[in-house]
Amino acid sequence: MLGLLYKDFYTSKKELMLTGFMALLFVVFNVATDQAEMLGPSIGVLISVGSLVPTYSIHYDKTNGWDKFICASPISRKQVVLSKYLAGLITIVVINLVIIADNMAVGSPIPVWGYAALLCITLFLQAVMLPVCLKLGQNFVVAVFLIVVFLPIGALFFLNRVNILTDAAIEGAFDFIQQNVASLSLLGIVVAVVLYAISFLISLRYYKHMEM
């Protein structure tokens, strides 16, 4: 398993270096300018990149013939899929640690419960992106990612514009979250973990029946 993880990270080293550079750039910029309002865009970029990083190794496996090699090797397909998800979890941990450091560096405008929310978002996005990449390929990943991210945002904006989702309702929702932050955070993490496990089972089923 360690060998598979090493292979996944090594084949994606260019993307990982770019991700690390972007993360460092945002943290340094936020600290240097001390502008808390720039924290949101930087977190958005970090979560986006962190959600897509595990798909790079899947893309390279398909393009360099690794998938065909698996058929003739003693390595089980379950181990291969598991390595992708473990690499994804490692990426999630690193990205969220960077987000915490970035938040603390500008005075912690994001409350502690926000960390749980960002963790759940990253888990959910990876849970969607990994099966999509295995089934449809890297070209569809970006399109699906944009749909998953911007469709809910667009729907909320539209509902707010037509006064169905009022500002008072939004404020009430935030008040409800703050009053029930502990139970909602736990529930969100449990749901995200379950979705991640279901995503793994879907990817494993597809990979086992995939024609190399």
Side-chain angles (χ1 to χ4, degrees):
M1 184 57 66
L2 289 177
L4 289 173
L5 285 172
Y6 175 79
K7 187 273 300 177
D8 288 339
F9 283 117
Y10 182 79
T11 54
S12 306
K13 60 182 180 180
K14 291 182 180 179
E15 288 79 8
L16 290 173
M17 290 177 64
L18 177 60
T19 300
F21 174 75
M22 291 177 63
L24 180 62
L25 183 64
F26 277 115
V27 172
V28 171
F29 177 79
N30 288 336
V31 172
T33 59
D34 195 24
Q35 296 181 2
E37 61 270 17
M38 291 301 298
L39 185 61
S42 64
I43 289 177
V45 171
L46 289 171
I47 289 180
S48 300
V49 174
S51 302
L52 298 177
V53 163
T55 65
Y56 298 139
S57 65
I58 297 175
H59 170 69
Y60 288 129
D61 286 354
K62 291 182 177 181
T63 57
N64 63 20
W66 169 263
D67 287 340
K68 295 180 179 179
F69 169 76
I70 288 297
C71 292
S73 74
I75 303 175
S76 70
R77 298 192 183 189
K78 182 177 181 180
Q79 287 180 303
V80 175
V81 176
L82 183 58
S83 72
K84 308 300 182 187
Y85 279 79
L86 288 178
L89 289 175
I90 292 172
T91 304
I92 287 173
V93 171
V94 173
I95 289 296
N96 279 271
L97 288 175
V98 173
I99 290 174
I100 292 173
D102 199 2
N103 184 48
M104 294 177 64
V106 295
S108 299
I110 296 178
V112 175
W113 63 264
Y115 297 145
L118 295 173
L119 174 63
C120 292
I121 291 172
T122 319
L123 281 169
F124 170 75
L125 289 174
Q126 280 197 12
V128 175
M129 295 303 109
L130 286 167
V132 167
C133 190
L134 277 171
K135 180 66 175 180
L136 301 176
Q138 188 72 20
N139 292 335
F140 286 87
V141 168
V142 176
V144 173
F145 177 83
L146 293 176
I147 292 173
V148 170
V149 172
F150 289 107
L151 185 61
I153 295 176
L156 291 174
F157 179 77
F158 173 77
L159 292 175
N160 182 254
R161 291 287 293 178
V162 298
N163 210 32
I164 295 177
L165 184 65
T166 62
D167 293 339
I170 296 174
E171 292 177 2
F174 276 106
D175 290 339
F176 177 79
I177 291 174
Q178 291 178 346
Q179 293 170 5
N180 302 274
V181 62
S183 57
L184 289 176
S185 297
L186 180 60
L187 177 63
I189 292 174
V190 170
V191 171
V193 170
V194 170
L195 290 176
Y196 206 76
I198 293 173
S199 172
F200 170 77
L201 294 176
I202 293 173
S203 296
L204 180 60
R205 179 179 176 80
Y206 169 71
Y207 202 74
K208 284 183 175 180
H209 295 87
M210 184 171 59
E211 294 294 333
M212 300 300 183

